[in-house]
């Protein structure tokens, strides 16, 4: 039986404590069945790159992680991945900072990780690589002699050829993607942009969804990610009784709650959202003192300059909104920059009248789906969603807005706050049907079926096999771990 290997930049080893922001960990929770392995960076910085992975087994899943050096971290993670690729793929070339030494560091880390993984693979293992940090990973596995099926899923958008070309080394990265057997994208538009780039920038042949370049064929498909909707709804129902949700509800004093939850990231459109809210209060004064906006924006990637600049801009804008509109007994905008526990978010979503999800560009956006799953179908809130989130392809019953126009955000908030129960229910029923069918597990099984065509779970434990093969040479912690409560 084939074993599944998940490869991603960060590996959420179960003992990690505390609330965790970030879409990938949430989405992959479902796929990890006994017999699987999750391989990648430990999230730790060490004086030396690890010589071998650190292994942890929990519930039959092996977590194999390696430390990076400070230099690796700065070049690979802060530099090329988050300083060049992230802005490029979010249509922000002006924020893209390309430096050759950082790109070289990005390749070095990918090579090192691939060489480590190659040592522990069996010929039947199916390898599923995640996201923009690891684009060249398959090439380095191939160079190490790996002939297994290798798939790649990009969680963020892809860009058309004219935008892709602004990145120095774009052609090399595209060629690297040609080493995957399957390349998955959040939307058909992203998959098409990838195929166009391969054709226009590399001269690859495209036929239907397959791309052939230098004798290798990659199937490039849309495979939209989803959430684990049933447990999330259950969590929301339970959380309504929790002390935090009760406290939040009491603090509203009958006012409508509008909510936004995002990582503090420039792709999420937060400045325009704050300005849109200010325009709502200015242009539609009937909402003054009738609405409270709660924005939770957990700080992330603070080592990258653009994120620190954004933090300062939002502090200023939040102060401006509250300075202009507050009353001595009403604060229009509540702005928190720490992560909240997941359960708490679910409860907050459930009591909100409006969910505001207005990224400038987003691969999918799971918050949109979580907001819908958390609603009470008898009295549901309204979702406002950016046209440029991947989720907009499926969630057409949301109030779709252009996030570059703060007035459009204001008008949608006005419409949502005034919307009658019948229309709220009609829109929510359609959105709910979508969110409960296009789930995380549907996404994962679809991708794995394409990649392997045969069952890939419940195989023999990686750790036992590795123990046999490397006989005590690697650091290993077999203490059974409690499942992280989040
Ligand atoms: C990438 C792509 C794609 C947020 N704040 C807190 C918190 N979160 C959780 C949300 C949600 C997840 O993090 C965020 O997922 P998103 O999809 O909205 O965005 P990214 O982190 O940018 O994820 C994105 C995704 O990958 C999956 O493919 O959809 O387009 O950019 O689950 O609820 N969770 C907790 N506290 C917070 O304060 N506990």
């Amino acid at each position: 039986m084939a074993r599944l290997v998940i490869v991603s930049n960060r590996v959420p080893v179960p003992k990690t404590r505390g609330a965790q922001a970030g879409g990938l960990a949430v989405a992959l929770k479902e796929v990890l069945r006994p017999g699987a392995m999750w391989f990648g960076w430990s999230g730790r910085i060490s004086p030396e790159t690890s010589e071998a992975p650190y292994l942890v087994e929990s519930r039959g899943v092996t977590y194999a992680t390696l430390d990076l050096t400070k230099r690796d971290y700065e070049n690979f993670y802060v530099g090329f991945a988050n300083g060049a690729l992230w802005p490029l793929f979010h249509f922000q070339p002006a924020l893209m900072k390309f430096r050759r030494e950082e790109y070289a560091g990005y390749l070095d880390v990918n090579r090192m990780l691939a060489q480590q993984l190659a040592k522990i693979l069996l010929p039947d293992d199916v390898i599923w690589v995640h996201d923009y940090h690891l684009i060249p990973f398959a090439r380095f596995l191939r160079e190490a002699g790996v002939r297994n099926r290798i798939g790649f899923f990009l969680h963020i958008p892809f860009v058309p050829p004219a935008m892709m070309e602004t990145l120095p080394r774009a052609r090399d990265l595209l060629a690297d993607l040609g080493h995957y057997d399957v390349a998955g994208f959040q939307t058909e538009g992203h998959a098409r942009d990838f195929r166009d780039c391969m054709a226009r920038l590399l001269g690859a042949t495209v036929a239907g969804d397959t791309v052939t370049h230098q004798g290798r064929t990659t199937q490039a498909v849309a495979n939209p990610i989803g959430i684990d909707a049933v447990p999330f709804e259950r969590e929301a129902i339970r959380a309504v009784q929790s002390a935090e949700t009760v406290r939040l509800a009491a603090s509203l004093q009958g006012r409508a709650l509008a909510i936004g939850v995002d990582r503090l990231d420039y792709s999420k459109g937060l400045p325009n959202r704050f300005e849109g809210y200010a325009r709502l209060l200015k242009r539609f004064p009937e909402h003054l003192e009738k609405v409270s906006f709660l924005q939770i924006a957990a700080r992330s990637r603070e080592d990258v300059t653009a994120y620190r600049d954004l933090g300062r801009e939002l502090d200023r804008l939040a102060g401006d909104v509250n300075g202009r509109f507050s009353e001595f007994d009403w604060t229009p905008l509540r702005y928190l920059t720490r992560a909240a526990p997941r359960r708490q978010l679910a409860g907050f979503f459930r009591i909100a009248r409006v969910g505001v999800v207005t990224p400038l560009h987003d691969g999918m956006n799971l918050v949109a789906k979580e907001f819908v799953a958390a609603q009470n179908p008898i009295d549901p809130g309204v979702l406002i969603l950016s046209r440029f989130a991947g989720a907009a392809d499926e969630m057409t019953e949301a109030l779709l807005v252009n996030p570059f126009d703060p007035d459009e955000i204001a008008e949608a908030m006005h419409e949502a706050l005034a919307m009658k129960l019948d229309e709220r229910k009609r829109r929510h029923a359609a959105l709910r049907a979508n969110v409960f069918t296009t789930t995380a597990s549907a996404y994962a099984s679809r991708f794995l079926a394409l990649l392997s065509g045969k069952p890939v779970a419940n195989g023999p434990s990686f750790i036992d096999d590795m123990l046999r093969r490397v006989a005590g040479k690697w650091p290993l912690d077999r203490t059974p771990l409690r499942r992280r409560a989040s």
Side-chain angles (χ1 to χ4, degrees):
M1 172 101 63
R3 302 178 304 178
L4 172 64
V5 182
I6 298 286
V7 186
S8 68
N9 171 50
R10 290 291 290 270
V11 179
V13 181
K15 71 180 165 197
T16 313
R17 292 197 182 282
Q20 184 159 23
L24 184 56
V26 174
L28 286 187
K29 220 171 61 187
E30 270 293 281
V31 206
L32 285 181
R33 311 233 179 88
M37 171 161 82
W38 195 334
F39 178 90
W41 177 34
S42 61
R44 282 191 299 266
I45 312 268
S46 292
E48 303 290 333
T49 312
S50 311
E51 278 177 22
Y54 183 80
L55 303 175
V56 166
E57 190 187 48
S58 173
R59 298 183 167 231
V61 176
T62 303
Y63 297 83
T65 56
L66 292 124
D67 298 350
L68 296 182
T69 63
K70 188 156 190 297
R71 196 154 160 263
D72 287 338
Y73 168 76
E74 276 163 6
N75 288 331
F76 156 77
Y77 181 79
V78 179
F80 190 69
N82 286 315
L85 287 180
W86 178 273
L88 171 79
F89 284 138
H90 288 90
F91 293 75
Q92 303 268 5
L95 292 178
M96 178 172 82
K97 178 175 160 264
F98 174 86
R99 292 294 178 270
R100 288 185 186 186
E101 59 278 15
E102 293 177 349
Y103 178 59
Y106 174 81
L107 294 179
D108 287 346
V109 169
N110 270 272
R111 187 185 302 104
M112 180 278 288
L113 290 172
Q115 287 172 350
Q116 289 283 1
L117 181 63
K119 290 189 213 163
I120 54 180
L121 287 173
L122 292 176
D124 241 12
D125 294 342
V126 169
I127 304 140
W128 184 6
V129 180
H130 287 263
D131 234 358
Y132 59 100
H133 315 87
L134 298 168
I135 289 173
F137 194 81
R139 168 163 63 100
F140 291 123
L141 279 181
R142 300 292 185 219
E143 286 176 7
V146 172
R147 296 285 160 263
N148 303 38
R149 296 279 291 171
I150 313 176
F152 177 77
F153 184 78
L154 185 67
H155 289 259
I156 62 179
F158 205 82
V159 287
M163 180 70 72
M164 188 69 193
E165 251 191 318
T166 62
L167 176 74
R169 307 290 184 274
R171 286 176 175 76
D172 294 346
L173 285 173
L174 288 168
D176 285 346
L177 284 168
H179 286 269
Y180 289 96
D181 297 298
V182 178
F185 300 87
Q186 300 276 23
T187 68
E188 183 47 41
H190 302 152
R192 197 176 47 236
D193 282 340
F194 166 70
R195 296 191 294 259
D196 286 353
C197 283
M198 293 296 280
R200 292 257 306 275
L201 304 185
L202 291 188
T205 312
V206 175
D209 63 10
T210 61
V211 179
T212 306
H213 178 243
Q214 295 186 333
R216 281 182 297 273
T217 295
T218 303
Q219 198 180 352
V221 293
N223 185 38
I225 201 165
I227 62 162
D228 209 359
V230 172
F232 196 80
E233 179 185 41
R234 208 181 300 136
E235 187 91 77
I237 293 170
R238 224 181 298 132
V240 170
Q241 319 286 339
S242 71
E244 294 84 4
T245 310
V246 169
R247 260 174 68 197
L248 173 60
S251 76
L252 293 170
Q253 299 183 311
R255 297 182 178 105
L257 175 67
I259 191 166
V261 174
D262 309 77
R263 274 185 312 99
L264 209 164
D265 190 297
Y266 52 80
S267 67
K268 303 294 181 184
L270 292 164
N272 281 0
R273 190 180 306 171
F274 284 7
E275 195 182 331
Y277 182 51
R279 285 179 188 232
L280 169 83
L281 299 176
K282 177 117 203 313
R283 286 181 49 199
F284 304 98
E286 62 268 40
H287 300 299
L288 286 169
E289 297 184 61
K290 297 280 182 341
V291 58
S292 278
F293 193 121
L294 172 62
Q295 175 65 54
I296 298 177
R299 286 198 196 90
S300 76
R301 301 179 194 165
E302 289 180 281
D303 291 343
V304 183
T305 318
Y307 288 74
R308 289 195 299 272
D309 294 348
L310 174 68
R312 278 192 289 271
E313 185 185 1
L314 290 171
D315 288 347
R316 189 183 59 73
L317 284 169
D320 182 56
V321 173
N322 282 334
R324 278 166 65 199
F325 298 103
S326 285
E327 290 295 335
F328 59 82
D329 57 354
W330 172 61
T331 306
L333 176 62
R334 305 171 184 192
Y335 171 50
L336 283 69
T337 56
R338 359 171 247 288
R342 193 163 171 71
R343 180 182 21 87
Q344 198 169 308
L345 291 181
F348 291 2
F349 284 152
R350 192 164 178 93
I351 64 165
R353 171 49 51 92
V354 189
V356 190
V357 182
T358 54
L360 304 180
H361 278 283
D362 217 328
M364 174 54 62
N365 198 297
L366 298 178
V367 171
K369 299 191 171 188
E370 290 164 356
F371 178 80
V372 167
Q375 294 308 302
N376 182 349
I378 295 171
D379 184 18
V382 180
L383 175 66
I384 296 176
L385 179 61
S386 162
R387 296 182 181 284
F388 307 123
D393 275 22
E394 304 165 276
M395 304 182 82
T396 47
E397 298 296 324
L399 295 180
L400 296 179
V401 295
N402 182 330
F404 292 91
D405 182 357
D407 279 300
E408 205 173 313
I409 297 173
E411 286 154 10
M413 288 190 81
H414 174 60
E415 187 181 345
L417 287 164
M419 195 180 284
K420 296 271 182 297
L421 180 61
D422 275 1
E423 185 173 353
R424 282 193 277 128
K425 278 171 136 172
R426 182 182 60 74
R427 286 176 182 271
H428 175 258
L431 290 169
R432 184 186 153 85
N434 178 274
V435 168
F436 279 73
T437 43
T438 60
T439 56
S441 50
Y443 149 84
S445 339
R446 214 166 34 229
F447 191 89
L448 292 179
L450 273 176
L451 184 58
S452 101
K454 51 186 169 180
V456 283
N458 304 319
S461 163
F462 264 92
I463 224 158
D464 291 334
D465 178 52
M466 284 189 270
L467 273 176
R468 218 179 42 244
R469 292 203 280 161
V470 298
K473 272 189 276 175
W474 288 355
L476 176 67
D477 177 359
R478 291 207 65 171
T479 326
L481 295 159
R482 271 189 308 123
R483 216 186 152 96
R484 187 163 41 89
S486 82

